[in-house]
Amino acid sequence: MAIKISAKNLNFYYGSNQALFDNSLDIEERRITAVIGPSGCGKSTHLRVYNRIFELYRDQRVTGELIIDGVNVLDPQVDVLELRRKVGMIFQKPTPFPMSVFENIAYPIKLHFKLSSKELKQRVEQALRAASLWDEVKDKLKNSGLALSGGQQQRLCIARAIAIEPEILLMDEPTSAIDPVATLKIEELMLSLKEKYTIVVVTHNMQQAARISDNTAFFFKGHIIEYGPTARIFTNPKEKKTEEYITGRFG
Amino acid sequence: MFALRTDRIFQWLCLISAMIAGLLMLGFFVQLSLSSVSTWRQFGLGFLVSNDWDPVANRFGALPSIVGTLCTTVIALLLAIPLAFAAALYLVDAPPLLSNILSHAIDLLAAIPSVIYGMWGLFVMVPIMQKHVQPFMVDVLRLHRLPVIGRYIGEYYNGFGIFTAGIILAIMVLPYIYAILRDVIKMTPPVLREAAYGVGCTRWETAKDIVLRYGIRGVLGGIFIGLGRALGETMAVLFVIGNLMDMPEDIFSGATTIAATLANNFAEADCLQRSALFALGLVLLLMSFSIQVAAQYYLHATSARRGESRS
Ligand SMILES: Nc1ncnc2c1ncn2[C@@H]1O[C@H](COP(=O)(O)OP(=O)(O)OP(=O)(O)O)[C@@H](O)[C@H]1O
Ligand SMILES: [Mg+2]
């Protein structure tokens, strides 16, 4: 199996507080990798290295290497805007932009591609279809993205992320703020998206991790305790901590 | 029981204050209207579009004052808004110490009495404008040769006039607009900004397309506060605008504003001129009032269109 992302000895610091310790992780291409672990163990922090979003904050820094397609993207020479096109991020709370449904998708496309307005419309429709949202919003493309339901907003954000042809999708608890039916829709969506994209998803929901992921990484206090095929991690964990966590004995 | 009673009292207090505010507003309108009756009778609405101000012949027209007011205000906002936006944007992300110091410095601009601005304008700004800025604009940049707008920039200057007044006003309204923009930027949820950066926006794109749109109500609110202040500002303008009752030819022309005209002329005004000054006051009040109403209406309409419930 091809490795898409390879994290090597990532150490992450919030000011003088170290949040990640020697994280090394190989993420397979076109698979769903679940990241699990108790609250505060560094799951979000780990993900936020992948698109270098942490760099927005003055006091956060990382050491180590992050190899995507053979290139260490933590190298300051790497074009961070292009990196972020390639690595999309979906947050726990839906984050529609304050603009219309159509513009929400069209806006990031226009940042990266020069398209005629006809091509743009096609691209927007394509992305909304891929996020299984088209049928629900095709009559309200001009309405504000903020006026959709929570689940729809989250799929809008997924559509927005895939509209700019990324290769990797990072999802930080994408379903924890929405209801079970909408959650199922997003899970189905993720399964269909993995045909084309490499997906890394943080989740607190063990069933969800078991249902949709191929590999699972268990984080604890900033360390990666165990990593392997989801089926094995859930049926036959090697580490005691992992077992305790997935059987709900702590966390 | 006690809580209930304080609640009642509070309700009454609110009601009374609201009524006093409403009555005051009404009172201003009534008083200004009554005092300006003879002007309206004599000139009708022609008063608004006449540029003839001749106390000796007893002919009065409001147009020069209105145009002066609008021009200085527009120049002030054109200068202050981008400056305030750039400052707010930069300072929000700057190192805390620098950001605090500069931020407070800008806030303090609001504490300077306007007569000080006027004096500073007269003794510092006007000479600088005359010796450096205006020669640069005319002789080096040759702005007056630009097509269309060149005609309004002007070739002859003496330091006084609409442009200088606009600059002073810009400095005066800057802290108000800045303070509100800063709050708008700070109030944008960090995750929304991260989402914008996450799809590959630059800082500038995030600011203008996401942050500004997200806080558009606050931004407009800030601009309208600035607008209100610039419209009615008297003292600072009085010192530098040149106080000519003629129609301005261009932005270097000496001119007047409604507020400046009122302050300059009331002392020696009698009968019809007095009434004309009251009429000008009424025009100014109507201008500020209708701008505020339009602003409220616009904000209301946009928030309905955006499907938001926050009011
Ligand atoms: N902005 C920050 N400044 C300082 N410390 C932080 C910051 N964000 C997170 N931390 C710390 O870093 C550690 C890891 O946090 P992180 O958000 O990555 O955890 P998480 O696994 O995503 O938790 P959760 O499941 O609750 O989302 C925590 O100890 C947290 O206190
Ligand atoms: Mg988290």
XYZ file of all heavy atoms in Angstrom, chain B residues 243-286:
324
model
N -13.338 79.158 5.043
C -14.563 79.911 5.293
C -14.975 80.851 4.168
O -15.135 82.047 4.344
C -14.455 80.694 6.604
C -14.238 79.759 7.778
O -14.952 78.768 7.903
N -13.257 80.040 8.596
N -15.132 80.326 2.976
C -15.669 81.078 1.860
C -17.083 80.591 1.589
O -17.322 79.396 1.535
C -14.825 80.838 0.600
C -13.455 81.501 0.566
C -12.775 81.195 -0.753
C -13.606 82.993 0.779
N -18.000 81.544 1.395
C -19.377 81.130 1.172
C -19.666 80.841 -0.301
O -20.796 80.812 -0.714
C -20.338 82.208 1.673
C -20.327 82.405 3.175
S -20.766 80.915 4.092
C -22.364 80.579 3.393
N -18.594 80.654 -1.097
C -18.805 80.383 -2.528
C -18.829 78.891 -2.797
O -18.359 78.100 -1.985
C -17.665 81.000 -3.351
C -17.569 82.482 -3.108
O -18.631 83.093 -2.849
O -16.444 83.026 -3.138
N -19.346 78.570 -3.979
C -19.281 77.169 -4.381
C -17.822 76.802 -4.575
O -17.094 77.485 -5.288
C -19.993 76.996 -5.734
C -21.401 76.470 -5.647
S -21.576 75.047 -4.608
C -21.420 73.792 -5.834
N -17.345 75.693 -3.962
C -15.953 75.281 -4.191
C -15.767 74.805 -5.637
O -16.648 74.188 -6.214
C -15.771 74.134 -3.203
C -17.139 73.668 -2.861
C -18.050 74.832 -3.007
N -14.593 75.159 -6.195
C -14.288 74.733 -7.562
C -13.703 73.329 -7.568
O -13.939 72.543 -8.451
C -13.221 75.668 -8.145
C -13.616 77.111 -8.210
C -14.114 77.441 -9.596
O -13.325 77.244 -10.547
O -15.277 77.853 -9.714
N -12.855 73.077 -6.572
C -12.161 71.787 -6.500
C -11.776 71.568 -5.044
O -12.115 72.380 -4.187
C -10.935 71.812 -7.411
C -10.096 73.063 -7.147
O -9.698 73.259 -5.996
O -9.863 73.848 -8.093
N -11.037 70.475 -4.764
C -10.792 70.157 -3.358
C -9.742 71.051 -2.700
O -9.580 71.010 -1.492
C -10.387 68.674 -3.152
C -9.095 68.353 -3.891
C -11.499 67.736 -3.571
C -8.548 66.991 -3.512
N -9.025 71.867 -3.490
C -8.108 72.817 -2.860
C -8.786 74.160 -2.582
O -8.185 75.063 -2.019
C -6.878 73.051 -3.743
C -5.995 71.834 -3.873
C -5.101 71.720 -4.929
C -6.052 70.816 -2.936
C -4.277 70.606 -5.050
C -5.237 69.694 -3.053
C -4.353 69.589 -4.115
N -10.032 74.298 -3.017
C -10.728 75.560 -2.822
C -11.046 75.793 -1.363
O -11.358 74.852 -0.631
C -12.072 75.550 -3.549
O -11.915 75.354 -4.909
N -11.014 77.092 -0.975
C -11.572 77.446 0.303
C -13.072 77.221 0.213
O -13.672 77.369 -0.850
N -13.688 76.820 1.293
C -15.111 76.523 1.252
C -15.670 76.696 2.643
O -15.055 77.328 3.496
C -15.332 75.101 0.747
N -16.837 76.118 2.872
C -17.405 76.126 4.211
C -18.216 74.862 4.376
O -18.475 74.156 3.409
C -18.277 77.368 4.425
O -18.689 77.408 5.790
C -19.506 77.324 3.537
N -18.564 74.541 5.616
C -19.491 73.431 5.840
C -20.682 73.999 6.583
O -20.634 75.145 7.054
C -18.860 72.329 6.708
O -18.597 72.880 8.001
C -17.568 71.819 6.101
N -21.734 73.226 6.681
C -22.913 73.720 7.387
C -22.536 74.131 8.808
O -22.832 75.240 9.259
C -24.019 72.653 7.416
C -24.462 72.354 5.981
C -25.196 73.133 8.260
C -25.550 71.302 5.890
N -21.832 73.235 9.496
C -21.482 73.520 10.883
C -20.613 74.770 10.983
O -20.816 75.610 11.873
C -20.766 72.316 11.494
N -19.666 74.905 10.064
C -18.784 76.076 10.100
C -19.574 77.350 9.803
O -19.355 78.386 10.439
C -17.639 75.902 9.104
N -20.468 77.295 8.858
C -21.286 78.463 8.540
C -22.091 78.897 9.756
O -22.156 80.090 10.090
C -22.262 78.133 7.388
O -21.519 77.650 6.285
C -23.046 79.368 6.979
N -22.683 77.940 10.430
C -23.477 78.271 11.614
C -22.606 78.947 12.660
O -22.943 80.005 13.191
C -24.100 76.998 12.214
C -25.125 76.274 11.344
C -25.727 75.101 12.113
C -26.221 77.228 10.913
N -21.453 78.351 12.937
C -20.604 78.882 13.996
C -20.088 80.280 13.643
O -19.930 81.127 14.509
C -19.428 77.932 14.238
N -19.852 80.503 12.360
C -19.279 81.777 11.938
C -20.268 82.928 11.933
O -19.892 84.072 12.114
C -18.722 81.648 10.521
C -17.246 81.321 10.550
O -16.565 81.711 11.492
N -16.777 80.605 9.552
N -21.530 82.636 11.666
C -22.441 83.713 11.320
C -23.505 84.067 12.346
O -24.121 85.111 12.243
C -23.139 83.393 9.998
C -22.146 83.386 8.850
O -21.474 84.384 8.604
N -22.026 82.254 8.185
N -23.714 83.192 13.322
C -24.841 83.459 14.213
C -24.697 84.775 14.965
O -25.658 85.512 15.154
C -25.052 82.308 15.203
C -26.239 81.486 14.842
C -26.126 80.150 14.503
C -27.502 82.072 14.811
C -27.228 79.411 14.146
C -28.613 81.329 14.458
C -28.480 80.004 14.121
N -23.482 85.067 15.368
C -23.281 86.235 16.231
C -23.853 87.512 15.624
O -24.555 88.266 16.291
C -21.787 86.398 16.522
N -23.581 87.731 14.331
C -24.032 89.004 13.771
C -25.283 88.870 12.903
O -25.634 89.788 12.182
C -22.903 89.673 12.977
C -22.417 88.888 11.791
C -21.141 88.131 12.118
O -20.960 87.803 13.317
O -20.341 87.891 11.209
N -25.916 87.691 12.968
C -27.065 87.484 12.076
C -28.327 88.138 12.615
O -28.545 88.201 13.815
C -27.302 85.999 11.891
N -29.146 88.670 11.719
C -30.464 89.125 12.145
C -31.536 88.567 11.214
O -31.256 87.965 10.187
C -30.512 90.655 12.175
C -30.047 91.224 10.858
O -29.920 90.441 9.901
O -29.810 92.438 10.802
N -32.764 88.777 11.549
C -33.974 88.292 10.871
C -33.765 87.179 9.875
O -33.574 86.029 10.223
C -34.718 89.430 10.162
S -34.495 91.008 10.877
N -33.745 87.550 8.574
C -33.767 86.531 7.546
C -32.511 85.664 7.577
O -32.568 84.455 7.407
C -33.931 87.173 6.165
C -34.258 86.157 5.059
C -35.522 85.378 5.381
C -34.396 86.852 3.720
N -31.361 86.286 7.865
C -30.138 85.479 7.904
C -30.200 84.468 9.047
O -29.819 83.322 8.896
C -28.908 86.373 8.056
C -27.620 85.564 7.934
C -26.382 86.418 8.025
O -26.445 87.614 8.280
N -25.234 85.808 7.816
N -30.695 84.929 10.177
C -30.884 84.029 11.314
C -31.721 82.832 10.911
O -31.390 81.687 11.177
C -31.598 84.786 12.440
C -30.762 85.016 13.665
C -31.574 85.793 14.681
N -32.171 84.894 15.644
C -31.511 84.469 16.735
N -30.294 84.881 16.965
N -32.086 83.647 17.586
N -32.810 83.161 10.255
C -33.717 82.092 9.861
C -33.045 81.164 8.846
O -33.213 79.946 8.874
C -34.989 82.715 9.284
O -35.414 82.025 8.164
N -32.218 81.729 7.957
C -31.516 80.894 6.984
C -30.534 79.965 7.700
O -30.349 78.803 7.317
C -30.763 81.764 5.986
N -29.913 80.475 8.772
C -28.980 79.630 9.526
C -29.726 78.488 10.209
O -29.267 77.342 10.230
C -28.220 80.479 10.549
C -27.238 81.483 9.930
C -26.633 82.377 11.001
C -26.143 80.762 9.165
N -30.896 78.805 10.752
C -31.706 77.729 11.344
C -32.081 76.703 10.280
O -32.094 75.500 10.530
C -32.957 78.297 12.008
C -32.700 78.767 13.405
C -32.782 80.116 13.741
C -32.372 77.853 14.398
C -32.533 80.550 15.038
C -32.129 78.270 15.694
C -32.204 79.626 16.008
N -32.387 77.209 9.082
C -32.738 76.290 8.002
C -31.562 75.363 7.699
O -31.729 74.162 7.490
C -33.134 77.078 6.757
N -30.337 75.949 7.692
C -29.149 75.117 7.483
C -29.019 74.053 8.579
O -28.690 72.901 8.317
C -27.895 75.995 7.490
C -27.447 76.596 6.170
C -26.178 77.406 6.389
C -27.196 75.497 5.161
N -29.270 74.479 9.813
C -29.231 73.538 10.930
C -30.193 72.389 10.709
O -29.862 71.225 10.934
N -31.381 72.747 10.225
C -32.385 71.719 9.964
C -31.877 70.746 8.894
O -32.027 69.522 9.012
C -33.689 72.381 9.499
C -34.872 71.450 9.289
C -35.280 70.769 10.587
C -36.064 72.210 8.710
N -31.244 71.307 7.866
C -30.698 70.448 6.804
C -29.667 69.477 7.373
O -29.683 68.274 7.089
C -30.057 71.306 5.696
C -29.290 70.430 4.711
C -31.119 72.116 4.969
N -28.779 70.011 8.228
C -27.747 69.153 8.817
C -28.383 68.040 9.650
O -28.007 66.873 9.553
C -26.807 69.994 9.689
C -25.646 69.232 10.329
C -24.773 68.596 9.271
C -24.812 70.162 11.213
N -29.357 68.415 10.473
C -30.017 67.427 11.314
C -30.679 66.360 10.444
O -30.561 65.165 10.718
C -31.060 68.118 12.196
C -31.714 67.230 13.254
C -30.679 66.694 14.222
C -32.780 68.004 14.021
N -31.349 66.806 9.388
C -32.003 65.844 8.500
C -30.995 64.919 7.828
O -31.236 63.727 7.676
C -32.814 66.581 7.423
C -34.184 67.079 7.883
C -34.838 67.948 6.805
C -35.088 65.907 8.238
